[in-house]
Amino acid sequence: MKKALICGISGQDGAYLAKLLLEKGYIVCGTSRDAQMSSFGNLVRLGIREQVKLESMSLTDFRSVLQVLRKIQPDEVYNLAGQSSVGLSFEQPVETLESITTGTLNLLEALRFTGAPIKIYNAGSSECFGDTRDASANETTPFRPRSPYAVAKAAAFWEVANYREAYGLFACSGILFNHESPLRPGRFVTQKIVAGACAIAQGSQEKLRLGDISVRRDWGWAPEYVEAMYLMLQQEKPDDYVIATGESNKLEDFVAAAFACVGLDWHDYVVIDAGFYRPTDIAVGRGHPAKAREQLGWQAKYKMQDVVRMMVEAKQANLVKQES
């Protein structure tokens, strides 16, 4: 049986990845900064909390990382940890840089130090590309990061590439475009929109306040995207891949779709608030996932409209469950 270590298992991607690997017969171990105090709500929600072995580990503490690697002795490591919000990175730039850049470096160095043939997947981000305008970004598109989060992810990407080339590590980065699910935290705008639409449909008088809804993003379905992470570590040679649907939609379209799902016209319930605008933002984000399709055999089945519908259905089911 293969053994996988998922750093950041409590997040959306970590939980879905844990479920996928368990279904494939893996022994799955996960880390959190304080495993004894963490609730691991997403693992509970997916019904897999008791099937996962959990360890405390701080990625910014090299000794902590090395101890856990030696204890678990995994075949595969998935680095999904670190501060994950673009908006929050403007308020906490140091924490963002340290948790992502230093954390990734500690993990790579600890893997090199052990000398074991451990494969590592690193969570890259489409935010690294910045504004692609009318072009679709692929693996050769230059990085132009426009947030502290994107700067940190870009640095981590090059760390992975460096350790792969310099030390022969089986190290891959998945450059994932936006991917959503019911497990998204409420601070993410997609979850905020879905929650707001469902609450208003149930009688809430509160308006939904949003920032710039003209931005365009490439939205996919998170449970599909973790399959691509797994596939990257099953290849003969390590490489980096863009993971996306290849389609771009306005945030306004996402809003319209969410309200349409509950039978409402979004124009009646949404207020644009300049306070939610970011210091810098990306006008257009769209990926070109041809390499993933050709080399991994991976292709997104669900597009934006599907994602919105499934998120709204899950939110409504959850509200009904809470009422009963």
Side-chain angles (χ1 to χ4, degrees), residues 27-75:
I27 296 169
V28 178
C29 307
T31 71
S32 175
R33 272 181 287 193
D34 190 341
Q36 289 183 317
M37 294 299 290
S38 297
S39 64
F40 297 103
N42 284 338
L43 299 182
V44 173
R45 193 165 170 182
L46 295 181
I48 58 173
R49 169 68 177 81
E50 301 308 315
Q51 296 168 253
V52 176
K53 179 178 172 60
L54 298 163
E55 296 284 346
S56 296
M57 185 180 83
S58 171
L59 272 178
T60 54
D61 182 339
F62 179 77
R63 182 172 176 270
S64 168
V65 175
L66 190 58
Q67 279 182 322
V68 170
L69 281 176
R70 282 178 163 169
K71 180 178 180 181
I72 302 299
Q73 296 184 340
D75 299 289

Side-chain angles (χ1 to χ4, degrees), residues 65-117:
V65 175
L66 190 58
Q67 279 182 322
V68 170
L69 281 176
R70 282 178 163 169
K71 180 178 180 181
I72 302 299
Q73 296 184 340
D75 299 289
E76 299 172 1
V77 173
Y78 294 85
N79 178 26
L80 314 179
Q83 202 288 99
S84 61
S85 166
V86 176
L88 188 60
S89 77
F90 286 102
E91 299 171 30
Q92 299 178 359
V94 176
E95 155 68 13
T96 301
L97 265 290
E98 287 182 348
S99 67
I100 296 171
T101 311
T102 305
T104 303
L105 184 60
N106 278 341
L107 198 47
L108 290 164
E109 185 64 8
L111 287 172
R112 185 176 78 90
F113 191 83
T114 64

Side-chain angles (χ1 to χ4, degrees), residues 177-210:
F177 277 72
N178 300 60
H179 48 291
E180 312 298 329
S181 80
L183 299 189
R184 263 291 187 225
R187 71 170 180 269
F188 283 79
V189 69
T190 48
Q191 191 69 295
K192 180 181 175 181
I193 290 164
V194 168
C198 291
I200 290 167
Q202 285 208 316
S204 171
Q205 298 301 306
E206 275 194 53
K207 297 282 189 181
L208 177 61
R209 309 184 77 85
L210 298 171

